[in-house]
Amino acid sequence: MRSLAEIETLNPWPALDRTLVNNGRRPAVDMPRHLFGPAWNIIEQVADATATKPDYAAIAFLTSAASLIGGKRRASPYGGDWTEPCILWMAALGDPSSRKSAPLDHMTKPLWAMQDAAKDDYEDRKREHFAEVERAKAERCKWQEEVKAAAGTPGQTPPLPALAVEPEAPRERRTIISDATPEAVADVLAGNPQGVLCYNDELAGWLESFDRYTSGGRPFWLSAFGGRPHAITRKGSGSIHIPFNGVSVLGSIQPDKVVDHLDGANDGLVPRILWAWPEKMLPKPQTGRVDRSALEAAYARLDQLAWAEGETGELVAKVLRLDDDASAVFSDWEVTNAQTDAEGSSLYAAFAGKLSGAVLRLALVAELTEWAFNGGTEPATISLRSLSAAIEWCEDYAKPMAQRVYGDAAVSVADRNASLFARYVLKNGFRTVNMREMRQHPHKGHLKPLQAKGAMDEVFEIMQDAGWLRPAFSRAVDSPGQPRKDFEVNPALFGGAV
């Protein structure tokens, strides 16, 4: 009988490629804290309570705050025609077990509470409206009798009194919505001119809706990012005109599902999204309660921001321009950003090209966050402090995260699947793996992309070429049928001798 050493000599392991684990994926970076000012305390509380990095809670705060500011404030770099609305689109990436939803729920929960609190007032207004409609009907009947009495006489037709015109129905206060068609969102915005947060626990559905509504889905959402006026014509029920089509978007998505939506991103819609994809943390017991009182008070203050008034009395946004120091820094950064990010993939270049607007929007949120938490006089300009924090966040976080997302998308499906399987092997410390068992419970749920036809065979082939696996097929003595498709895992992965 040959010794183990002799067997290894006859059947040596190929060179081990450890890069298979990340497959060239850019590592995650830490979330800079300066952008969040006094909101960082609650962000850390939520991160600790949910055993997640601060990233998920942080982007949930930014989008929630932006939606409450909405159309009431805009940012301007130089005080001219260029202004940016307070609208942010952000996505939380992570594997199914990354606990993405919990921190997003924590930070958006006050918005649901604000919406619920407005229901009583809405019911009161509905009752008042019903009474006014009945009064209008009675006034109209009275007017009709006057018209009949005037018939056949040379006198003028009695004018329709204002009280005879039925008033428009009241609209419900909405701070947050979920998956919705453009028409439904437009209907919400007609009664909520400041804008709204569209929160999708599964962002894939929102991304898929762009193509589902081919007659106007993508144009509507492009308009919703820009906060531009928008009109939707409805069959048989007139049209809806929205002066401020402003929708901030927040949601979570799995990395492998993002890829399907990046190829069709040449209209610039997907590159508007800011990504958060931190490393997953190990679970741990929750040690304390999250105190959302300061967050709730800050949200309420942002919600109560007043509109400015236009020349004819219409509601318009108040524009906050960068102060002189901030304006000079922004001008220099714009040049640097354009020079350093002209290279790379077309998708990343499109993303980087839109960061000027993102910086202004983030700086506006940062400026008003400081005021919302600490009080005092509402700021009239955006300070260098807020602008610098926004630039830092985009340079040190948004750009690396975009490179992480777009770089992962550039890898083939087979290589991504192999990387997923490699991480699963290391996590579980497998010394052998069986192809059939990997298709069954409990592994199946963790390896969903590998369940597609031919995907598992393709992955095992890649793993063998990379020196991770080699066949160790066996069959019980006197047992008929095919041998077990067992594969040995290279012991060098766990520090063992080859």
Side-chain angles (χ1 to χ4, degrees), residues 208-220:
E208 289 163 3
S209 75
F210 299 160
D211 299 318
R212 191 181 309 145
Y213 308 108
T214 54
S215 62
R218 298 184 82 89
F220 172 84

Side-chain angles (χ1 to χ4, degrees), residues 120-365:
D120 288 342
D121 176 66
Y122 176 59
E123 293 300 323
D124 290 341
R125 287 187 291 116
K126 282 203 302 183
R127 285 190 291 270
E128 291 173 2
H129 174 258
F130 180 80
E132 290 170 355
V133 168
E134 292 302 309
R135 170 69 184 273
K137 290 178 180 178
E139 295 287 347
R140 192 176 188 88
C141 288
K142 181 181 177 182
W143 168 75
Q144 288 171 339
E145 291 299 324
E146 293 175 357
V147 171
K148 289 179 182 179
T153 68
Q156 291 184 338
T157 302
L160 178 70
L163 287 174
V165 179
E166 292 187 12
E168 287 191 15
R171 293 185 178 269
E172 189 175 3
R173 174 75 169 100
R174 301 293 297 273
T175 55
I176 187 167
I177 58 175
S178 299
D179 299 323
T181 65
E183 185 174 310
V185 176
D187 193 59
V188 169
L189 291 174
N192 295 270
Q194 75 285 348
V196 70
L197 175 67
C198 181
Y199 173 36
N200 305 269
D201 188 46
E202 289 293 338
L203 200 61
W206 177 70
L207 291 168
E208 289 163 3
S209 75
F210 299 160
D211 299 318
R212 191 181 309 145
Y213 308 108
T214 54
S215 62
R218 298 184 82 89
F220 172 84
W221 286 106
L222 285 167
S223 171
F225 184 83
R228 294 183 286 273
H230 194 80
I232 290 183
T233 301
R234 301 183 295 185
K235 291 182 180 180
S237 56
S239 61
I240 305 176
H241 175 72
I242 313 162
F244 175 72
N245 183 21
V247 185
S248 288
V249 176
L250 171 68
S252 62
I253 190 169
Q254 298 172 30
D256 60 293
K257 291 186 177 180
V258 171
V259 179
D260 298 334
H261 302 284
L262 296 183
D263 291 339
N266 56 1
D267 61 357
L269 197 152
V270 172
R272 286 167 164 79
I273 299 173
L274 300 171
W275 310 91
W277 189 4
E279 300 292 351
K280 186 173 71 174
M281 295 178 62
L282 294 174
K284 65 176 183 178
Q286 183 172 342
T287 56
R289 292 178 59 85
V290 175
D291 182 4
R292 284 193 294 266
S293 57
L295 178 69
E296 292 166 355
Y299 279 175
R301 201 163 197 200
L302 293 175
D303 187 48
Q304 292 162 9
L305 282 167
W307 291 86
E309 191 173 295
E311 294 180 357
T312 58
E314 76 278 15
L315 301 179
V316 297
K318 178 180 177 182
V319 178
L320 275 68
R321 63 152 292 177
L322 301 179
D323 67 26
D324 292 342
D325 291 339
S327 183
V329 168
F330 179 76
S331 179
D332 291 341
W333 172 81
E334 268 210 294
V335 174
T336 304
N337 181 58
Q339 291 173 341
T340 57
D341 295 313
E343 301 178 357
S345 69
S346 59
L347 194 55
Y348 178 74
F351 169 84
K354 300 183 186 307
L355 279 184
S356 293
V359 162
L360 293 173
R361 297 175 186 213
L362 290 165
L364 177 58
V365 173

Side-chain angles (χ1 to χ4, degrees), residues 423-438:
R423 293 192 293 273
Y424 191 65
V425 167
L426 285 178
K427 176 183 176 181
N428 291 279
F430 294 138
R431 266 35 183 198
T432 62
V433 290
N434 179 274
M435 190 179 294
R436 181 180 179 184
E437 291 175 355
M438 291 297 114

Side-chain angles (χ1 to χ4, degrees), residues 2-199:
R2 291 190 178 96
S3 67
L4 180 61
E6 289 174 319
I7 294 174
E8 294 291 356
T9 301
L10 294 172
N11 185 24
W13 283 95
L16 179 62
D17 181 6
R18 292 182 180 272
T19 64
L20 190 65
V21 175
N22 289 317
N23 221 347
R25 174 186 293 172
R26 176 163 184 151
V29 294
D30 291 333
M31 173 71 71
R33 62 181 298 171
H34 298 109
L35 181 67
F36 305 92
W40 188 252
N41 181 49
I42 181 65
I43 290 170
E44 284 191 314
Q45 283 187 52
V46 169
D48 182 64
T50 57
T52 57
K53 293 280 190 177
D55 307 47
Y56 297 145
I59 65 168
F61 168 76
L62 289 173
T63 49
S64 297
S67 71
L68 293 170
I69 299 166
K72 296 174 290 187
R73 298 292 180 272
R74 297 179 75 97
S76 173
Y78 311 117
D81 291 335
W82 178 14
T83 65
E84 289 288 332
C86 200
I87 300 169
L88 294 173
W89 289 0
M90 294 188 156
L93 271 75
D95 296 327
S97 57
S98 299
R99 301 181 295 280
K100 304 180 292 296
S101 298
L104 302 189
D105 290 344
H106 268 290
M107 302 304 285
T108 56
K109 191 172 183 178
L111 270 64
W112 292 107
M114 292 165 68
Q115 187 164 286
D116 289 341
K119 289 186 182 298
D120 288 342
D121 176 66
Y122 176 59
E123 293 300 323
D124 290 341
R125 287 187 291 116
K126 282 203 302 183
R127 285 190 291 270
E128 291 173 2
H129 174 258
F130 180 80
E132 290 170 355
V133 168
E134 292 302 309
R135 170 69 184 273
K137 290 178 180 178
E139 295 287 347
R140 192 176 188 88
C141 288
K142 181 181 177 182
W143 168 75
Q144 288 171 339
E145 291 299 324
E146 293 175 357
V147 171
K148 289 179 182 179
T153 68
Q156 291 184 338
T157 302
L160 178 70
L163 287 174
V165 179
E166 292 187 12
E168 287 191 15
R171 293 185 178 269
E172 189 175 3
R173 174 75 169 100
R174 301 293 297 273
T175 55
I176 187 167
I177 58 175
S178 299
D179 299 323
T181 65
E183 185 174 310
V185 176
D187 193 59
V188 169
L189 291 174
N192 295 270
Q194 75 285 348
V196 70
L197 175 67
C198 181
Y199 173 36

